[in-house]
């Protein structure tokens, strides 16, 4: 009779048999249920066999007193009805099962006694727990069972020699030196880009005999905003923005022009920040703005502005407070005590020079201080507020703008916007002074039309 001397070998064998048993179940739930039942039953099997075969076998016992034998496969395997266990108790003899009196030691060796004990335990389990047996031994007669001899025959020293033959791999190149491995290192992308475009159009027409009177007119407004921002999440933030606006209006009351511009803007800003402390950055800010087309007034042939006439450019150094907000909201307040402003008028038309108090000169520069505020907030779903404010002073004059817009996005392609712009500039000619507003100027429009974010 074969005996398992090594408890580890038995564990490997039992694990293999249990794995095969689990794979034969029809569903995951059935496997879980059967595994729990089987573990309890197997423990009882072992104890029962230990008690019944204690005096008749010479098997090796473990520390708990339970017999350790490779012939327990009938008890540990899937729930199977064995004909030998049934026939021995019902007195049925066939060619497969023939047993004599167990007390006759001349005809039975230790293995036969153990088999008889196993069949005795099986029979009682069949009667007490028939629900855990699902197969008959005739269904598995054609299957090949791994002989336990191969497990028992493995000696500890043999396994050690096998382990020693396995070389330790210190470098993966030793294994894959004949294989071309192309490694691609993907750097994180710290850039974020977005854009918005819109196009609004309105038109009114009145017949000449319209009883209330009126003025035919048409307006068109287009706007493109592009942003590219860099943030390495540690030390550097770099914000860039390009804002392009162009709008036209035509009126029958204007007998001089077919159309005039009512919105014309080219604005470019760039702000580089190096982190100084939490939410505070050392900042270098640069802006420039001009327009596309000549700026004129209704029924007036004079030109008041053109492309690069004027061109205003700013360069400032200071500190920027930028808290980290959620949900795409942003906030920035820059205090720039060292600021430089340059204004250039690239046209000889006298009316433009006079409008900006630059008679007989094309270039003007000033040093002073500047404050910049930029915010973007989502107030409620589909309603966004944007604001921009700057204030520059050369300590001889002051220039400031406050721009606000409320945009309601109806869907992906249609939006409505309310836009307001307050401006103050006391460096203009006296004809821009108003008795009510002084040097304050105000502009507002409401639009409804196509809009697309990307």
């Amino acid at each position: 009779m074969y005996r398992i001397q090594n408890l580890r070998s038995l564990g490997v064998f039992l694990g293999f048999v249990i794995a095969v048993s689990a794979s034969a179940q029809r569903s995951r739930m059935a496997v879980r249920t059967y595994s729990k039942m089987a573990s309890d039953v197997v423990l009882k099997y072992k104890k029962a066999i230990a008690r019944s075969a204690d005096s008749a076998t010479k098997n090796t016992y473990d520390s708990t007193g339970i017999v350790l034998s490779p012939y327990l496969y009938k008890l540990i395997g899937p729930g199977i009805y064995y004909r030998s266990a049934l026939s021995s108790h019902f007195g049925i003899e066939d060619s497969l099962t023939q047993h004599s009196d167990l007390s006759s030691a001349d005809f039975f060796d230790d293995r036969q006694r153990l088999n008889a004990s196993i069949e005795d335990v099986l029979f009682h389990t069949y009667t007490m727990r028939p629900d855990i047996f699902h197969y008959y031994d005739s269904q598995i007669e054609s299957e090949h069972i791994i002989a336990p001899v191969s497990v028992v025959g493995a000696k500890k020293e043999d396994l050690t020699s096998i382990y020693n033959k396995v070389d330790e791999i210190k470098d993966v190149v030793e294994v894959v030196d004949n294989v071309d491995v192309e490694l691609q290192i993907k750097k994180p992308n710290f850039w974020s880009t977005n854009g918005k475009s819109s196009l609004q159009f309105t038109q009114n027409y009145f017949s000449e005999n319209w009883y209330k009177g009126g003025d035919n007119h048409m307006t068109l407004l287009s706007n493109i905003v592009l942003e590219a921002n860099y943030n390495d999440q540690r030390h550097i933030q770099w914000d860039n923005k390009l804002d392009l606006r162009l709008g036209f209006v035509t009126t029958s009351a204007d007998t001089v022009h077919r159309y005039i511009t009512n919105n014309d803007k080219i604005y470019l800003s760039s702000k580089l920040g190096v982190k100084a402390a939490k939410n505070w950055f050392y900042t270098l800010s640069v802006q420039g703005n001009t327009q596309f087309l000549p700026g004129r007034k209704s029924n007036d042939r004079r030109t008041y502005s053109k492309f690069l006439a004027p061109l205003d450019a700013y360069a400032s150094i200071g500190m920027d407070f930028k808290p980290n907000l959620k949900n795409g909201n942003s906030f920035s307040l820059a205090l720039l005590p060292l600021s430089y402003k340059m204004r250039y008028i690239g046209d000889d038309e006298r009316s433009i020079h006079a409008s900006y108090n630059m008679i007989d000169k094309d270039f003007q520069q000033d040093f002073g201080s500047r404050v910049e505020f930029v915010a973007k907030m989502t107030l409620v779903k589909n309603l966004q507020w944007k604001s921009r404010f700057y204030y520059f002073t050369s300590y001889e004059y002051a220039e400031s703008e406050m721009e606000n817009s409320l945009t309601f996005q109806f869907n992906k392609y249609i939006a409505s916007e309310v836009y307001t712009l307050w401006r103050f500039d006391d460096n203009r000619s006296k004809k821009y002074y108003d008795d009510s507003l002084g040097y304050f100027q105000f502009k507002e429009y409401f639009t409804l039309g196509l809009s697309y974010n990307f």
Side-chain angles (χ1 to χ4, degrees):
M1 175 179 174
Y2 297 101
R3 298 181 175 84
I4 295 179
Q5 301 297 332
N6 193 313
L7 185 59
R8 181 183 299 176
S9 299
L10 176 61
V12 173
F13 173 75
L14 295 181
F16 173 77
V17 176
I18 293 175
V20 174
S21 172
S23 66
Q25 305 308 310
R26 295 181 179 178
S27 65
R28 181 177 296 178
M29 185 60 68
V31 170
R32 292 178 179 174
T33 305
Y34 175 73
S35 299
K36 185 178 186 305
M37 293 179 178
S39 61
D40 296 337
V41 174
V42 167
L43 181 60
K44 294 179 182 180
Y45 283 169
K46 288 184 177 182
K47 292 182 178 179
I49 293 173
R51 289 193 298 269
S52 62
D54 186 22
S55 60
T57 66
K58 298 179 182 180
N59 292 324
T60 302
Y61 288 74
D62 63 6
S63 60
T64 60
I66 298 176
V67 173
L68 304 177
S69 172
Y71 303 105
L72 299 179
Y73 71 90
K74 290 185 178 181
L75 307 179
I76 305 173
I80 300 173
Y81 285 101
Y82 289 95
R83 287 174 291 175
S84 59
L86 296 173
S87 61
S88 62
H89 285 79
F90 288 105
I92 302 173
E93 294 186 358
D94 54 24
S95 59
L96 296 175
T97 58
Q98 293 182 357
H99 300 290
S100 301
D101 188 1
L102 291 179
S103 62
S104 181
D106 295 335
F107 299 98
F108 286 87
D109 56 11
D110 293 340
R111 177 176 174 180
Q112 290 173 321
R113 292 178 184 274
L114 180 60
N115 285 337
S117 300
I118 292 173
E119 292 172 356
D120 182 62
V121 175
L122 282 172
F123 176 78
H124 290 290
T125 308
Y126 292 159
T127 58
M128 299 298 295
R129 294 295 304 274
D131 55 301
I132 65 173
F133 295 91
H134 307 286
Y135 305 96
Y136 296 94
D137 53 1
S138 60
Q139 295 176 282
I140 61 171
E141 287 178 353
S142 61
E143 301 294 334
H144 297 284
I145 301 176
I146 298 176
V149 177
S150 61
V151 179
V152 177
K155 298 181 180 180
K156 183 177 182 180
E157 53 270 20
D158 296 336
L159 296 176
T160 303
S161 63
I162 295 174
Y163 299 151
N164 293 335
K165 292 180 180 179
V166 179
D167 296 330
E168 181 182 358
I169 299 175
K170 298 181 180 180
D171 191 347
V172 70
V173 179
E174 299 176 3
V175 182
V176 297
D177 55 348
N178 294 326
V179 180
D180 292 333
V181 179
E182 183 179 353
L183 299 179
Q184 293 183 352
I185 300 176
K186 207 169 187 179
K187 295 183 179 180
N189 184 13
F190 297 122
W191 284 95
S192 63
T193 58
N194 62 81
K196 177 183 178 180
S197 62
S198 61
L199 179 65
Q200 287 86 29
F201 175 82
T202 60
Q203 186 264 342
N204 280 314
Y205 173 78
F206 302 90
S207 63
E208 293 183 0
N209 62 344
W210 182 251
Y211 74 106
K212 288 186 176 179
D215 187 16
N216 301 333
H217 72 274
M218 181 178 65
T219 61
L220 176 68
L221 176 61
S222 60
N223 179 214
I224 297 178
V225 179
L226 303 174
E227 294 185 10
N229 302 321
Y230 177 89
N231 185 357
D232 67 355
Q233 307 297 328
R234 298 183 63 189
H235 306 295
I236 305 297
Q237 290 190 13
W238 186 18
D239 301 334
N240 302 277
K241 180 179 180 180
L242 176 63
D243 188 351
L244 306 176
R245 295 174 185 259
L246 186 58
F248 302 93
V249 59
T250 65
T251 63
S252 57
D254 188 356
T255 59
V256 177
H257 310 102
R258 294 182 59 186
Y259 64 87
I260 58 175
T261 58
N262 61 348
N263 272 281
D264 197 348
K265 176 181 179 182
I266 302 175
Y267 173 78
L268 176 65
S269 69
S270 182
K271 184 166 59 177
L272 177 64
V274 179
K275 192 168 187 178
K278 183 179 181 181
N279 298 330
W280 284 95
F281 294 82
Y282 300 111
T283 296
L284 170 62
S285 177
V286 178
Q287 292 89 24
N289 61 79
T290 184
Q291 63 189 59
F292 289 99
L293 301 174
R296 299 185 176 96
K297 295 182 179 180
S298 180
N299 293 314
D300 189 346
R301 296 185 181 275
R302 290 177 295 178
T303 301
Y304 293 90
S305 59
K306 285 184 178 180
F307 178 68
L308 300 182
L311 167 65
D312 290 340
Y314 302 85
S316 308
I317 298 176
M319 299 289 291
D320 188 12
F321 176 70
K322 296 179 68 176
N324 187 16
L325 304 181
K326 299 180 180 179
N327 301 324
N329 297 329
S330 61
F331 176 93
S332 172
L333 176 62
L335 307 177
L336 308 166
L338 301 177
S339 185
Y340 167 79
K341 176 187 175 182
M342 183 272 292
R343 173 169 286 170
Y344 170 74
I345 297 180
D347 193 277
D348 295 332
E349 192 161 342
R350 185 175 179 83
S351 59
I352 299 178
H353 287 263
S355 175
Y356 290 94
N357 265 347
M358 294 178 61
I359 302 295
D360 299 328
K361 62 179 180 179
D362 297 332
F363 181 82
Q364 176 178 309
Q365 58 183 351
D366 296 291
F367 294 89
S369 300
R370 182 179 171 95
V371 176
E372 294 178 7
F373 168 78
V374 179
K376 180 172 67 174
M377 303 284 180
T378 300
L379 304 180
V380 295
K381 186 178 180 180
N382 297 337
L383 180 61
Q384 190 177 69
W385 169 63
K386 291 182 181 180
S387 180
R388 182 182 69 89
F389 169 81
Y390 83 85
Y391 175 85
F392 172 82
T393 178
S394 65
Y395 306 105
E396 293 182 359
Y397 71 91
E399 179 183 281
S400 177
E401 280 188 1
M402 185 171 184
E403 185 180 36
N404 288 279
S405 66
L406 280 174
T407 304
F408 186 83
Q409 195 78 30
F410 290 95
N411 54 41
K412 188 176 180 179
Y413 300 106
I414 299 178
S416 176
E417 181 181 16
V418 178
Y419 175 88
T420 62
L421 175 62
W422 281 93
R423 178 178 174 82
F424 178 88
D425 187 357
D426 60 3
N427 193 35
R428 305 296 298 273
S429 61
K430 289 293 184 179
K431 66 179 181 180
Y432 290 98
Y433 183 84
D434 184 83
D435 293 336
S436 301
L437 297 176
Y439 283 105
F440 279 100
Q441 302 170 24
F442 179 72
K443 177 181 180 180
E444 177 269 338
Y445 64 78
F446 170 79
T447 61
L448 175 63
L450 300 177
S451 176
Y452 182 71
N453 297 323
F454 53 92

